[in-house]
Amino acid sequence: MPDFSNFKDRSPSKFFAAYVCFVFSLLAFPVTSNAQAFTLESGKYAGKAGGSLDFSSALINGKYTFDQAAVFIEYNAANVTASRIGFRLQVTGIRPVASGQWPFEAVGLGHFHEHYMETHKYPTISGLGKLVSIHAGGGEFSSSLKIHGVKVQRNFKFSVLSHGTDTITIKVETVIDSSKFGIKIPNAVKNKLPRNVPVTWTATLNKQ
């Protein structure tokens, strides 16, 4: 950067010329950030995810949890957007955070599986897609999301909580619109349940 304090000739034209030189020096030698995208070796990474779904409303405390969702990333360091990501969760693994804290208090958790999720017909929640981008703190992936037998294409942002050359821990926070998946809310609780359900999950994946 030019030292303007010692600039002998303070005429406007020469001062302006010095300032223009300074601006062009920034363009030629841009200031770079120390932040870098996470570094992983190419290969397949797999692990389990745990997280929560929140059906809570002003009338209902409906917090659920799960901890056995299978997640994998097939990472291509040379071509990040060719990297695949997939996940699968058994719906029966979704359970209330605490006894009684779920939307259908009157008839029990079985009603959640039998009528709301119809678990006997649609036993899994799954997704398969590709990475869209990565940056220092995380990235984004585009994936199908199959719930209740209905598949919807979605983009998801994720944050990287920690990583090494052969392991990575990611966190995804999103909101699921249950109406897009053909889920019908029983009339008895229709005014109590929110249509949009916040979902959060964290997974630690290790190289296979």
Side-chain angles (χ1 to χ4, degrees), residues 32-186:
T32 58
S33 170
N34 291 326
Q36 296 179 351
F38 56 84
T39 302
L40 285 177
E41 295 179 352
S42 294
K44 184 174 181 178
Y45 297 75
K48 297 291 185 181
S52 64
L53 302 86
D54 193 351
F55 292 88
S56 296
S57 67
L59 301 174
I60 290 292
N61 185 352
K63 295 182 179 179
Y64 284 76
T65 188
F66 59 90
D67 57 13
Q68 291 296 310
V71 181
F72 78 86
I73 295 177
E74 292 178 350
Y75 188 68
N76 186 333
N79 184 4
V80 171
T81 56
S83 303
R84 298 202 312 154
I85 183 169
F87 51 89
R88 179 180 293 269
L89 170 65
Q90 296 294 324
V91 180
T92 53
I94 300 174
R95 57 191 183 278
V97 170
S99 179
Q101 292 188 347
W102 60 287
F104 307 105
E105 300 108 320
V107 290
L109 183 60
H111 199 102
F112 169 80
H113 289 295
E114 183 179 351
H115 297 293
Y116 187 78
M117 292 298 293
E118 296 186 279
T119 306
H120 58 292
K121 292 182 181 179
Y122 315 109
T124 61
I125 294 173
S126 62
L128 182 63
K130 291 186 176 182
L131 290 179
V132 174
S133 62
I134 60 171
H135 52 76
E140 185 174 359
F141 63 93
S142 178
S143 171
S144 61
L145 178 61
K146 190 175 182 180
I147 301 176
H148 198 248
V150 177
K151 187 182 292 186
V152 174
Q153 193 71 22
R154 283 279 309 272
N155 275 30
F156 299 88
K157 292 184 178 181
F158 66 91
S159 56
V160 175
L161 303 184
S162 63
H163 69 87
T165 56
D166 58 0
T167 184
I168 185 169
T169 298
I170 64 172
K171 182 178 182 180
V172 175
E173 294 180 283
T174 189
V175 175
I176 302 299
D177 183 347
S178 61
S179 67
K180 292 185 177 180
F181 296 93
I183 296 174
K184 297 179 180 179
I185 301 176

